[in-house]
Amino acid sequence: MRIKEVNVRKYGPVDDFRLICDDVQVIYGRNEAGKTALVDAITTALFQKKSVFPGQDRFKEDKSFLLSKNVTVILEHSGKNYFFPGPLKFEQLINLPHYHLAGLFIIRAGDLSLRKDKKWEDRVKEFLSGIPANIERIKEKIGEEVDLTPSGDWSDRQPARKKTKIKEKEERVEDLLRAIEKLKLIRQKEKILKDKTGRRDNLKRKLEDIRALKSYKLHKRIKDAYLNWRRNKSFFLDYQRYLNDDLELWLKNEREKESFTSKINSCKYEIEAILKDLETMDEESLHLKKNREDLLNKKRMITAFSIDKDMADVFFSQRNISNKTSKLLLYITLGVILSVIGGILLLLSKSFSGWSLVYFVSLITGIYLLINSYFLNKLKMNLKKKKEEILEKGKKIWPECGSLNEIFTKCNSLDLEISKIESKLDYIERKKEEKLLSLKKKKEELKSVEKQLHFIDENIKKLREKTGLSSFSQLEKKLAEKREIELEIKSLEKILADSTGTDDLLIWEREAEKEVPEPDVEEEDLRIEGKIEEELSRLNEEIQSLKEEIASFVQGELGRLQIKKITDIWTELEEVESTLRHWYQDREAALLAWEILDKIGQDTEKVLLDTIMDEKKGVSFYFNLITSGRYKKVNWRKNSLYVEHSDGKIYPVDVLSSGTQDQLFFSLRLGILKRGLPEGTFILLDDAFLTSDTTRREQQVRVCYQLVKEGWQIFYFTVDEGLRDLFCRICKIKPVIL
């Protein structure tokens, strides 16, 4: 069982509080923040009383009004949700023997002690065992009811004098039995007459009751219908101002308002999008212009450095010498070989001959090749130097370029890039003009729609002033209620007309004001009214015949017995025997009940003793845990609590400190609730640990956390920051701040 949700509004200092409850809830607030009001609202809603703590009802307002309007507690139990306040009482939900046991669930600072009266103790025993615990009082009441002494004998005290009456009744039975022996001749007929007379009387009473019931039901039907008719007529006057035309007009305005609101939102969204697009275009245009200016600057630098002209010269020269320089090594090699061989051979020849000419040509050719190679190499070196100069100039413009080809590519693509940027700028300008035109149209459309929306709001405001309602749904609800009242009035008028046989309002009122008592008759008897009338007619004839036969009976015996009729002998005998039989049965039942109650008393006392002394899950366990083993166990003797110290000494509760007493009674509550509700429950703690020292505070918080792990739910309301932080640290939660 747990509290699932708490809603409190306008309750004392609490203006609006809603809490979806967890297993542990720490509600922290300063003085006058509303903690006590929250506890009071929750407990009052659950237990439907002014206050479970006498003298602590702090508000002058009518609590029932405040609860019905402003407080809702949703309790989850056995998989179902229950709303409080509601038709079901908390004590009925969990079979709580009495409302005062609600103090087990709510623990406030300075009010930890439990009630010490005998009735409260008996109710705790009844809660733990499920059976009544006030045994001696029950035995006493049973003895008083059947007039028995405590020893089990009949009592002869005034005014009952049961012992004397029993003796008189027994003597009268003997006298009647002797008379019956003498009256055997007419006994059978008397018995028949008695049975038939009794049957006739019963039927007469039943027939009268049936007719009284029919009259009562008719009157009740008229009275209920008339009262409901008057009440509904009175209600209907308050609903005259609610009209269907207003509902249709309101609905139309609401729909138009919704449509225009949607249009306004759409326009605003589109305007924002257009403005964003314009901003983006401006940024892009600025960026492109900057890039174009950079490119133009680079183009001017290229012209200033003559890079384009030098590049043309380099590539022209390179094409001319490329084929020649590719065979430079070959020319040098051949030149060296031809000149060396020609020179050597020419020097070796002793006379000029044809071969000498060949040697000379070879020498000249070799020299020519070497000279040509020299000039080609010089031209190549000049070309290389020129390239290096161009590359150096190009790096001043494009520092990232590392080769002549990259600079050449950059130069050739420069005009193309400038052209692309200018094309993009033209495109952006056209789009910008389109966007500005669209923005102007959207602003005009927004202004028009807002004007129409203002007109609709004025219409709705007039409808609110006319109906006194704040929303369309309220008017719709009022009209539905109005239709229901109209139908109810027509139905009630038909019932009144059918029941009274007239449409006269004065007759309706007169019939409704009559006072007709309700007879004690079953509904099924209405269906046998005809059969009862037929049987009564037949019984009257048979009884008359029997009376005539018995009329000649000897009056002497009847006079002796002081009996007027023969049937009275058996009637009186049956009454006396029945009385004696009932008295003796009552005595036997009372003695048996005493025996059973004695056994029950022993059982309930044992349950309470087990709950207190149980060192594993009872009061002793929790008290030992909270006091860190200082006290070993709690005992119950002669209707009083005692505690056993760790040194073996036993102390009564009264000698303990106030803080230790509070911890003991806190443990007592836990043990009782653990035994009575083993599946777990909730506890409301209103700064219940303020009187505890630091060590025992922590132990009490850890006990609470362990209970939460076992399925319990803990609410702690506090003004103490230390307790708040202690709970949050141990339970790993965040507090609710008021």
Side-chain angles (χ1 to χ4, degrees), residues 406-564:
E406 292 180 5
I407 293 173
F408 179 73
T409 303
K410 293 283 186 179
C411 289
N412 290 338
S413 63
L414 199 58
D415 290 334
L416 180 60
E417 290 180 6
I418 293 172
S419 177
K420 287 181 179 180
I421 290 173
E422 289 177 346
S423 298
K424 287 183 179 179
L425 285 171
D426 291 340
Y427 175 77
I428 290 172
E429 286 299 323
R430 291 195 301 272
K431 286 294 182 181
K432 188 175 179 181
E433 290 176 0
E434 293 175 1
K435 290 290 183 180
L436 288 172
L437 182 60
S438 177
L439 177 63
K440 182 179 179 181
K441 291 180 179 179
K442 285 298 176 182
K443 287 184 176 180
E444 291 174 354
E445 182 182 354
L446 176 62
K447 185 175 180 181
S448 174
V449 174
E450 287 178 340
K451 184 176 180 181
Q452 293 174 338
L453 182 61
H454 177 71
F455 177 73
I456 291 171
D457 286 336
E458 288 297 323
N459 289 341
I460 293 176
K461 181 179 179 181
K462 291 177 182 177
L463 287 171
R464 284 176 178 154
E465 292 173 352
K466 180 180 178 182
T467 61
L469 302 174
S470 61
S471 66
F472 163 78
S473 59
Q474 290 180 341
L475 178 58
E476 191 175 31
K477 182 179 179 182
K478 289 293 184 181
L479 286 171
E481 292 173 357
K482 180 181 179 181
R483 288 191 293 272
E484 290 178 2
I485 293 173
E486 285 179 323
L487 292 174
E488 182 69 15
I489 289 172
K490 291 179 181 179
S491 174
L492 292 171
E493 288 175 346
K494 187 176 185 306
I495 292 172
L496 288 168
D498 293 342
S499 300
T500 60
T502 180
D503 292 332
D504 192 338
L505 301 181
L506 294 176
I507 295 177
W508 290 358
E509 183 178 5
R510 187 168 60 249
E511 289 294 324
E513 290 176 352
K514 288 182 180 178
E515 293 294 334
V516 178
E518 180 180 5
D520 186 15
V521 184
E522 298 293 336
E523 291 284 342
E524 291 84 1
D525 294 340
L526 292 173
R527 295 194 291 269
I528 59 173
E529 182 181 7
K531 293 181 180 180
I532 292 175
E533 290 176 345
E534 293 178 3
E535 189 174 356
L536 271 176
S537 177
R538 179 177 56 80
L539 283 174
N540 284 331
E541 294 176 359
E542 294 175 356
I543 289 171
Q544 183 62 30
S545 176
L546 285 172
K547 285 182 178 180
E548 291 175 357
E549 292 179 7
I550 299 171
S552 59
F553 180 71
V554 180
Q555 297 298 322
E557 185 65 22
L558 297 180
R560 184 183 69 82
L561 296 173
Q562 297 181 349
I563 295 176
K564 295 181 180 180

Side-chain angles (χ1 to χ4, degrees), residues 575-728:
E575 290 176 354
V576 175
E577 286 181 339
S578 176
T579 301
L580 286 172
R581 184 167 57 253
H582 289 158
W583 286 349
Y584 279 109
Q585 287 176 350
D586 289 345
R587 182 175 180 270
E588 292 175 4
L591 294 175
L592 180 60
W594 284 0
E595 182 179 352
I596 294 171
L597 287 171
D598 288 337
K599 293 180 179 179
I600 291 174
Q602 297 172 4
D603 293 341
T604 57
E605 188 71 24
K606 185 177 182 301
V607 169
L608 180 59
L609 191 61
D610 290 346
T611 300
I612 293 173
M613 298 187 64
D614 191 348
E615 297 183 22
K616 293 184 177 180
K617 58 181 179 180
V619 179
S620 296
F621 168 75
Y622 290 113
F623 191 53
N624 178 269
L625 188 61
I626 291 172
T627 60
S628 302
R630 184 179 180 85
Y631 295 96
K632 292 169 55 179
K633 64 173 66 176
V634 183
N635 205 341
W636 176 264
R637 289 183 297 180
K638 297 180 181 180
N639 297 328
S640 296
L641 285 172
Y642 294 87
V643 296
E644 182 178 338
H645 197 272
S646 58
D647 60 6
K649 294 182 180 180
I650 296 176
Y651 300 99
V653 175
D654 296 340
V655 304
L656 300 177
S657 67
S658 60
T660 305
Q661 288 186 33
D662 288 345
Q663 293 147 20
L664 172 60
F665 288 121
F666 175 62
S667 303
L668 184 61
R669 280 180 165 90
L670 295 183
I672 292 172
L673 289 173
K674 186 78 171 180
R675 184 64 175 262
L677 298 168
E679 72 279 4
T681 183
F682 65 88
I683 299 181
L684 304 177
L685 303 171
D686 188 2
D687 258 338
F689 303 158
L690 274 180
T691 59
S692 300
D693 59 33
T694 304
T695 302
R696 292 190 182 178
R697 277 187 180 186
E698 183 167 348
Q699 287 297 103
Q700 286 174 299
V701 174
R702 292 190 182 279
V703 167
C704 291
Y705 188 45
Q706 182 60 37
L707 289 173
V708 169
K709 292 180 179 179
E710 296 174 8
W712 289 47
Q713 188 182 30
I714 304 296
F715 291 81
Y716 196 90
F717 298 80
T718 183
V719 72
D720 188 278
E721 295 181 0
L723 276 169
R724 177 198 67 190
D725 297 340
L726 185 62
F727 259 99
C728 293

